[in-house]
Amino acid sequence: MLLKNIRNFNSSIYISSRHCFRPYSQGNVNEESYIEDEFRVLNLRKTKGKQRENAKKSKPPSVPPPRYQQMATDQDWSAVWPGPRSFHPATVPLPLRQGWVPLHKTTPGKFANAELMKIPNFLHLTPPAISKQCEALKKFCTPWPKILESEEQQEKHFPVKFISSDYVHGLPTIRNPLSRIVTIKLNLDNLQLDKHAKDKFLRLVGERYNEQTNELTIVTDRCPLKQQNYDYAMYLLTALYHESNITEEWENTKQEADMEYYDWHRNKSKVTSTEILNWRSTSDKKIDPPQGYINSVETLMNEGENDYNLNKYKEEVIKMLGLS
Amino acid sequence: MNFLPIIQQNAPISMQIVRGFRSSAALSSVQSGRYKITPKRDRPLTYEMANPPHFIAHRKAWNSWNTSNLRGELRTAQCITEDMFIRKFMTGTWHSLVLSEVIIKRQFNHIRIAALIKQGISARKMYFLLGYTEEMLSYWLQCPVTLELQTVADPKDVIFKYI
């Protein structure tokens, strides 16, 4: 009671002194509010409401404005976007839009647009960036050899073509079993084969020889590594070449029935036609049938009978016998 | 309705059992990735949600970009499970902050993860989470991981329409 009286008496002085160090308190502070200020009161009933009032409102984090607004127009773009990266709207100074909308509606803009982030972009591969990278790579390059400029020269110096595939994944693996497959191609003119050797070579090679392009193709895939398959293909080529140049003893016992094609010089047709041409001739020098007749007989026997071959044969016979 | 009696031929005649095979028409209901319209039309949808899965490659793009989902490619199953794990880890680590689907792009052995993130936490915490996610994922997946996030001020920015 005494205290209360003293306070009432000194109220004006007290308030003025409080103004000095608590500037936010109001001038007309009555007695009750002063007591509340002085001591924190635990109010069990209104706890929630009080806490809401006192709780600080969370400030939104301060975010600087988009970067593209501060970019110079003559900046080095490859320094801004040096490598592959997902699209970022604050960095790319382009007014892009992406997304499907019904007619007469606006397409979503570039901010908060996940579609733009999905698409792989080529912002790191602008023409100036590519020319820069090429310039950097130039010092590692050597000039193309002059003797290999035309395709004929390349064919001459490197007759064996080596074809294989390397695979690039979007995966943490660098190996692909398909990369083991090796193909080598070779034009048969580059091999020194005589008639017998070539015949044997083609028999050994079988369907790997393409008659139209005169090219041999060997595909190897039985070893697990590319290098092993390449070595195996080269071994096959070497073995084929040397094997076809060998003449085995049993090859000389070849009969007419074993021949795989009709050869004029080994057949009765040669004897008969020569006999007919030299009938009743007394001179020692025998007349041989003309080359056109030989060719027509060979094509007729090898390719089979058709209108063209038969007509050709007829013409050649008439020409040879002088019947026309 | 088909009713095919199959008689067990090896059993003695007295023990022959006649079995029925019943089939009914397939219930061709397609539900996944589609959202129902609410009576008040107040269900918010992002662009991704607004376009059902059959519009992938027409109106929206894939969320996983890698070569193992092509025909005859390697590591298909591993890649899918890894992507699932990355998505779970991202949504759990950036809890209630991821506003879009998690987009995973793979180049060689490099994994790039993109997402829209709410500006709900301080930049300091965000940088920590970024480094933490990259470090942990690259340790588990044994390959470099890069997070390419875009922050969004208002979560309502990603809403495409209400149905």
Side-chain angles (χ1 to χ4, degrees):
Chain A
M1 197 66 191
L2 179 68
L3 185 68
K4 200 176 181 181
N5 286 335
I6 295 166
R7 270 189 195 154
N8 283 337
F9 182 70
N10 292 331
S11 65
S12 64
I13 306 160
Y14 193 80
I15 287 161
S16 65
S17 68
R18 280 182 74 202
H19 267 283
C20 297
F21 55 89
R22 294 187 76 167
Y24 55 82
S25 60
Q26 291 167 3
N28 54 350
V29 177
N30 58 18
E31 188 188 83
E32 277 182 28
S33 71
Y34 164 68
I35 292 167
E36 268 183 24
D37 278 2
E38 191 73 8
F39 301 101
R40 289 170 64 197
V41 177
L42 179 65
N43 189 343
L44 289 171
R45 284 183 184 171
K46 289 186 177 176
T47 306
K48 209 177 176 185
K50 278 287 169 192
Q51 275 185 352
R52 279 279 159 82
E53 282 172 20
N54 294 337
K56 273 187 187 174
K57 279 191 178 175
S58 62
K59 277 192 292 179
S62 63
V63 178
R67 189 180 162 192
Y68 74 85
Q69 291 177 1
Q70 289 136 27
M71 284 176 174
T73 48
D74 59 342
Q75 68 175 342
D76 180 17
W77 174 250
S78 55
V80 179
W81 204 281
R85 197 191 156 196
S86 290
F87 179 82
H88 200 285
T91 314
V92 181
L94 301 171
L96 297 173
R97 296 188 161 270
Q98 166 83 23
W100 181 90
V101 281
L103 266 180
H104 311 305
K105 292 214 170 177
T106 324
T107 317
K110 64 173 178 174
F111 283 97
N113 194 337
E115 287 306 303
L116 277 172
M117 298 170 79
K118 287 180 192 176
I119 312 162
N121 62 59
F122 292 94
L123 292 167
H124 60 291
L125 290 178
T126 51
I130 290 175
S131 55
K132 238 188 202 178
Q133 289 167 7
C134 291
E135 277 300 314
L137 286 173
K138 241 180 198 172
K139 63 184 170 198
F140 300 111
C141 301
T142 50
W144 185 258
K146 275 189 182 166
I147 53 161
L148 293 179
E149 265 167 5
S150 71
E151 259 189 47
E152 289 78 37
Q153 284 171 321
Q154 293 169 18
E155 177 90 25
K156 187 186 159 200
H157 292 283
F158 297 98
V160 179
K161 278 185 206 156
F162 165 67
I163 303 163
S164 73
S165 307
D166 290 316
Y167 292 83
V168 176
H169 304 276
L171 294 174
T173 177
I174 54 169
R175 314 209 185 279
N176 191 321
L178 292 175
S179 65
R180 76 184 191 284
I181 300 169
V182 162
T183 308
I184 58 169
K185 288 192 171 193
L186 175 71
N187 197 317
L188 275 203
D189 294 340
N190 294 305
L191 294 180
Q192 290 166 351
L193 298 167
D194 58 11
K195 203 178 176 196
H196 161 262
K198 183 161 185 181
D199 177 52
K200 196 172 174 186
F201 192 89
L202 294 187
R203 280 154 183 274
L204 289 170
V205 159
E207 65 192 1
R208 293 174 189 84
Y209 172 66
N210 186 350
E211 211 169 323
Q212 270 124 32
T213 56
N214 193 25
E215 209 168 39
L216 167 75
T217 310
I218 297 177
V219 182
T220 48
D221 61 349
R222 57 175 63 185
C223 303
L225 295 183
K226 185 183 286 181
Q227 181 63 43
Q228 294 170 340
N229 276 317
Y230 174 73
D231 289 345
Y232 179 57
M234 294 316 280
Y235 158 75
L236 281 181
L237 189 61
T238 318
L240 277 171
Y241 178 71
H242 289 292
E243 190 61 38
S244 52
N245 271 320
I246 297 169
T247 310
E248 302 280 352
E249 276 179 30
W250 47 263
E251 286 180 45
N252 296 323
T253 60
K254 196 175 180 184
Q255 301 292 315
E256 188 53 39
D258 301 328
M259 281 301 289
E260 67 286 346
Y261 60 90
Y262 180 89
D263 188 3
W264 162 266
H265 298 284
R266 295 178 62 127
N267 272 281
K268 185 84 195 309
S269 176
K270 184 189 177 188
V271 183
T272 320
S273 57
T274 319
E275 265 177 24
I276 291 169
L277 283 177
N278 296 296
W279 187 49
R280 286 187 176 174
S281 118
T282 47
S283 66
D284 288 343
K285 205 178 179 185
K286 285 191 172 180
I287 307 165
D288 282 333
Q291 190 61 38
Y293 174 74
I294 297 173
N295 289 347
S296 70
V297 173
E298 277 186 345
T299 45
L300 186 68
M301 299 302 279
N302 285 330
E303 289 177 17
E305 289 182 13
N306 54 36
D307 281 353
Y308 179 80
N309 286 347
L310 277 175
N311 279 331
K312 185 85 183 155
Y313 177 67
K314 177 186 164 192
E315 281 169 22
E316 291 293 339
V317 170
I318 290 169
K319 208 199 283 178
M320 182 177 74
L321 299 179
L323 295 176
S324 56
Chain B
M1 194 192 295
N2 291 329
F3 191 75
L4 301 171
I6 298 165
I7 300 167
Q8 285 192 336
Q9 300 207 336
N10 295 336
I13 298 167
S14 61
M15 288 194 46
Q16 273 182 4
I17 305 161
V18 178
R19 281 186 190 162
F21 177 78
R22 276 161 190 274
S23 72
S24 59
L27 179 63
S28 305
S29 89
V30 189
Q31 271 181 296
S32 68
R34 288 156 180 83
Y35 298 88
K36 280 185 180 171
I37 299 173
T38 51
K40 289 183 180 177
R41 296 213 158 226
D42 58 351
R43 188 202 292 273
L45 292 187
T46 61
Y47 185 84
E48 170 85 23
M49 293 154 84
N51 290 300
H54 62 267
F55 281 125
I56 293 173
H58 297 266
R59 291 185 191 173
K60 64 176 184 180
W62 295 267
N63 286 321
S64 288
W65 290 76
N66 53 56
T67 54
S68 77
N69 49 21
L70 303 175
R71 190 168 173 272
E73 283 298 327
L74 310 170
R75 278 176 58 91
T76 311
Q78 289 99 318
C79 201
I80 290 168
T81 43
E82 277 174 15
D83 281 6
M84 289 294 290
F85 173 72
I86 291 170
R87 294 214 160 85
K88 289 264 178 198
F89 186 77
M90 277 293 290
T91 47
T93 308
W94 299 80
H95 184 67
S96 76
L97 295 173
V98 182
L99 296 177
S100 70
E101 302 289 317
V102 178
I103 302 154
I104 301 166
K105 286 181 262 189
R106 287 161 189 261
Q107 280 183 320
F108 314 122
N109 65 340
H110 185 191
I111 301 179
R112 295 194 284 130
I113 303 170
L116 294 175
I117 298 287
K118 193 168 81 179
Q119 289 173 359
I121 52 173
S122 63
R124 192 189 164 88
K125 282 183 186 170
M126 214 168 253
Y127 280 125
F128 168 75
L129 282 184
L130 223 131
Y132 170 75
T133 315
E134 285 185 358
E135 192 66 30
M136 296 306 276
L137 282 179
S138 62
Y139 175 71
W140 285 321
L141 305 175
Q142 289 294 308
C143 48
V145 177
T146 314
L147 251 62
E148 291 165 338
L149 306 176
Q150 186 192 143
T151 57
V152 178
D154 189 0
K156 283 183 180 170
D157 288 352
V158 298
I159 293 169
F160 179 65
K161 66 175 180 183
Y162 290 90
I163 62 166

